């Protein structure tokens, strides 16, 4: 099953993708995570991507498309995958359509007024990939693996504001694109994690 997770920054794409990936046994492919890994390793892609990510802008399509095309060639993609944060522009969606036929685009629909609080309070585990919110944590250790949690460099008010603007201008139009392809499924993301998960899973198990 080939699934796209659409949604604004902080809508819960990563949170749901981790859970769905475990449940469905298909890989979770996050372009944001791939870029952050490249930045950490100091690769040429990482150096280039950092210029854009730190400003809350999108990495150019040609770089993004190349890393996705490479990732989709790996053996673990044979039975499908969850694409988290890709595509994010119309040219990316059109390029993806030339490579594969996706089954569904799950759009995590959310009231944008809560996203700044969600993102500015997010803490991420650099070891196991878990994502949490400060209001549910007691210290700075990952509740799952114990590693020290980190704050993403783009999770500050200024960059989050820019990311939301970019989302509305460049990514939100993909909702009508996938609707016109008959692939869109809207999920109410304003509920708790387990409720959103159940709706996504029910749709994917149909
Ligand atoms: P990326 O890493 O994809 O970031 P994003 O789209 O901004 O989305 P986030 O990861 O911030 O949010 P999320 O929806 O995953 O939310 P999460 O589950 O963590 O991209 C980063 C950057 O890389 C981009 O800005 C761009 O520069 C570049 N990039 C990436 N892909 C690209 C592409 N295709 N083209 C060009 N550039 C690209 O949850 C957020 C918080 O909310 C957490 O604290 C979580 O615990 C909490 N939460 C989640 N769900 C719930 C819930 N239901 N109720 C309450 N709290 C919840
Ligand atoms: Mg994410």
């Amino acid at each position: 099953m080939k699934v796209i997770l659409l949604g604004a920054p902080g809508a819960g794409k990563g949170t749901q993708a981790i859970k769905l990936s475990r449940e469905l046994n298909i890989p979770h492919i996050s372009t944001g995570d791939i870029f952050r890994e490249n930045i950490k390793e100091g690769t040429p892609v990482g150096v280039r991507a950092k210029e854009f990510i730190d400003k809350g802008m999108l990495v150019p399509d040609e770089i993004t498309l190349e890393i996705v095309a490479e990732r989709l060639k790996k053996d673990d993609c044979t039975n499908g995958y969850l694409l988290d944060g890709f595509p994010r522009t119309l040219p990316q969606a059109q390029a993806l359509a030339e490579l594969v036929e996706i089954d569904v685009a799950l759009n995590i629909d959310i009231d944008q007024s809560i996203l700044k609080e969600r993102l500015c309070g997010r803490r991420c585990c650099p070891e196991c990939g878990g994502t949490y919110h400060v209001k549910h944590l007691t210290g700075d250790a990952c509740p799952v693996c114990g590693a020290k949690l980190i704050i993403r460099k783009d999770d500050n008010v200024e960059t989050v504001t820019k990311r939301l603007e970019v989302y509305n201008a460049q990514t939100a139009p993909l909702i009508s694109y996938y609707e016109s392809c008959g692939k869109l499924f809207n999920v109410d993301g304003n509920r708790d994690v387990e409720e959103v998960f159940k709706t996504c899973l029910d749709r994917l198990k149909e």
Side-chain angles (χ1 to χ4, degrees):
M1 166 154 276
K2 301 183 180 78
V3 182
I4 292 172
L5 283 156
L6 280 177
K13 303 181 295 296
T15 302
Q16 296 301 327
I18 290 170
K19 291 169 70 66
L20 291 167
S21 163
R22 262 187 223 130
E23 185 72 27
L24 301 169
N25 203 21
I26 51 175
H28 164 206
I29 300 178
S30 155
T31 40
D33 286 348
I34 297 174
F35 286 134
R36 282 184 289 275
E37 198 55 39
N38 276 275
I39 292 172
K40 207 161 114 190
E41 288 170 7
T43 66
V45 164
V47 171
R48 194 74 213 291
K50 188 173 169 17
E51 289 173 41
F52 298 92
I53 292 178
D54 285 355
K55 291 185 200 138
M57 290 159 61
L58 295 182
V59 177
D61 287 342
E62 66 272 18
I63 301 177
T64 307
L65 287 168
E66 203 176 314
I67 63 155
V68 172
E70 278 308 303
R71 181 63 186 84
L72 297 186
K73 282 184 200 155
K74 295 202 174 162
D75 291 346
D76 64 343
C77 292
T78 319
N79 295 325
Y81 34 79
L82 292 151
L83 292 172
D84 159 10
F86 177 89
R88 252 171 150 102
T89 63
L90 205 49
Q92 287 182 14
Q94 287 160 342
L96 179 66
E98 283 178 20
L99 282 180
V100 293
E101 187 181 352
I102 64 127
D103 295 291
V104 61
L106 297 177
N107 176 42
I108 306 184
D109 190 20
I110 190 133
D111 175 355
Q112 291 198 14
S113 63
I114 65 166
L115 295 180
K116 280 187 193 162
E117 188 265 341
R118 268 200 191 181
L119 290 172
C120 296
R122 174 167 55 186
R123 299 294 179 269
C124 303
C125 179
E127 295 301 325
C128 71
T131 298
Y132 311 96
H133 194 279
V134 273
K135 67 184 177 200
H136 301 125
L137 293 165
T138 44
D140 63 357
C142 173
V144 174
C145 75
K148 191 173 181 334
L149 297 171
I150 55 164
I151 302 177
R152 255 170 61 175
K153 206 162 172 252
D154 56 349
D155 280 348
N156 58 76
V157 179
E158 193 188 340
T159 315
V160 165
T161 306
K162 181 69 189 170
R163 282 160 62 199
L164 289 172
E165 270 172 37
V166 167
Y167 166 79
N168 287 320
Q170 300 193 55
T171 307
L174 294 186
I175 298 170
S176 29
Y177 171 82
Y178 284 110
E179 189 166 33
S180 69
C181 302
K183 304 280 186 190
L184 188 76
F185 183 78
N186 280 310
V187 180
D188 177 4
N190 299 292
R191 299 168 299 155
D192 75 34
V193 171
E194 292 305 323
E195 286 176 89
V196 177
F197 176 59
K198 187 177 181 311
T199 306
C200 293
L201 197 59
D202 285 350
R203 171 61 187 82
L204 298 182
K205 285 191 164 171
E206 251 172 33

